[in-house]
Amino acid sequence: MSDPLITGQRLNALGQLVGLPLADTSPRPVPPRTDMVGHYCSVMPLCADHADDLYNAFRADTEDRIWTYLPNGPYHDPVTFRAWVEEAVSWDDPLMHAILVDGKAVGHASYLRIVLASASIEVGYINLSPALQRTRAATEFQFLMMQRAFDELGYRRYEWKCDALNMPSRKAAERLGFTYEGTFRQATHYKGRNRDTAWFSIIDSEWSSLKQRFERWLSPENFDAAGLHKHSLSTV
């Protein structure tokens, strides 16, 4: 091997390939239960007060499509849904958040599989009501959660996992800048069926340029009078 350096690797004194040394291997902090505020939405720790808004927003999907790839739901009874919210509020991992637009909760997402020692964290348990889908807020809440993980807390790795058959989720991950890493076959099962899990990630060295793309895309100048974006996230 003529060049001892390969991307992300080096040779040790024994001639073996090993990973590059890290300047900081300290554990990262637990994500705080505090609000993340953007231009188009706010992301805040889930609380029982969000239950009614979320239930009404989710029921706008009369076919229950948004529940197919989630481990829970669908809910056709506000009392049962509120009971789930009241339980989810107490979880630490996943750490559930509500996504609010104009003061109303219209979706939820979480940090999960939070591994402080290796500085790895996942975004998931995402459910977007019809009112939130394909909006500026639907992209901004993702940006806010990434920004907290990388800029505020210093995580090295940000993960996205989904049912390998969930094509909308896979396309969303790719649009948001995640890299597909592979599929774990028969990784788990839920709702009485098998799940192969597709893995995606963003790492800290990619964040700076990706952050700039998000900021350009979310800028008011990128939207016309009808609210349609002028440039896609991949080209902005």
Side-chain angles (χ1 to χ4, degrees):
M1 185 178 296
S2 59
D3 185 355
L5 291 179
I6 299 175
T7 302
Q9 303 172 353
R10 66 186 177 97
L11 291 177
N12 66 8
L14 300 174
Q16 299 165 312
L17 284 171
V18 296
L20 294 174
L22 298 177
D24 182 5
T25 58
S26 61
R28 298 310 192 251
V30 175
R33 293 178 181 269
T34 56
D35 298 352
M36 294 169 267
V37 180
H39 295 294
Y40 312 113
C41 71
S42 297
V43 183
M44 59 182 58
L46 183 68
C47 72
D49 289 344
H50 297 136
D52 290 343
D53 284 346
L54 283 174
Y55 179 77
N56 291 330
F58 291 156
R59 287 304 301 142
D61 171 22
T62 57
E63 294 182 320
D64 292 329
R65 286 177 174 270
I66 58 177
W67 299 101
T68 299
Y69 299 106
L70 287 172
N72 62 312
Y75 298 93
H76 300 151
D77 169 17
V79 175
T80 305
F81 180 72
R82 175 173 285 274
W84 176 81
V85 170
E86 290 175 347
E87 177 188 354
V89 165
S90 67
W91 298 343
D92 294 321
D93 188 343
L95 178 57
M96 299 295 297
H97 290 73
I99 305 159
L100 279 70
V101 175
D102 296 329
K104 296 283 189 180
V106 289
H108 63 62
S110 76
Y111 292 123
L112 69 160
R113 301 187 187 274
I114 304 165
V115 186
L116 308 183
S118 58
S120 176
I121 192 168
E122 180 182 343
V123 63
Y125 224 128
I126 299 169
N127 197 355
L128 308 185
S129 71
L132 183 54
Q133 295 169 14
R134 300 181 181 276
T135 66
R136 280 177 274 189
T139 295
E140 186 179 51
F141 94 82
Q142 296 278 6
F143 169 67
L144 293 172
M145 294 186 74
M146 289 181 195
Q147 186 171 240
R148 167 158 287 179
F150 286 119
D151 291 344
E152 182 180 338
L153 303 177
Y155 279 80
R156 302 178 61 237
R157 174 178 171 85
Y158 193 75
E159 297 180 336
W160 177 297
K161 303 186 188 80
C162 64
D163 189 315
L165 300 177
N166 185 351
M167 297 312 297
S169 183
R170 297 183 66 145
K171 289 178 181 178
E174 292 169 355
R175 173 182 173 270
L176 292 167
F178 286 83
T179 296
Y180 171 67
E181 296 181 325
T183 295
F184 283 38
R185 298 179 300 165
Q186 295 189 187
T188 187
H189 58 85
Y190 67 126
K191 292 183 174 176
R193 61 180 188 260
N194 175 64
R195 172 171 143 162
D196 296 348
T197 297
W199 286 52
F200 299 80
S201 75
I202 296 169
I203 57 176
D204 54 358
S205 60
E206 299 164 341
W207 170 239
S208 178
S209 60
L210 183 58
K211 178 181 178 179
Q212 293 176 36
R213 282 168 46 196
F214 274 107
E215 290 174 335
R216 289 193 295 268
W217 191 89
L218 290 165
S219 171
E221 288 72 29
N222 187 41
F223 296 89
D224 62 22
L228 300 175
H229 63 259
K230 301 174 184 176
H231 304 283
S232 68
L233 188 56
S234 61
T235 61
V236 70

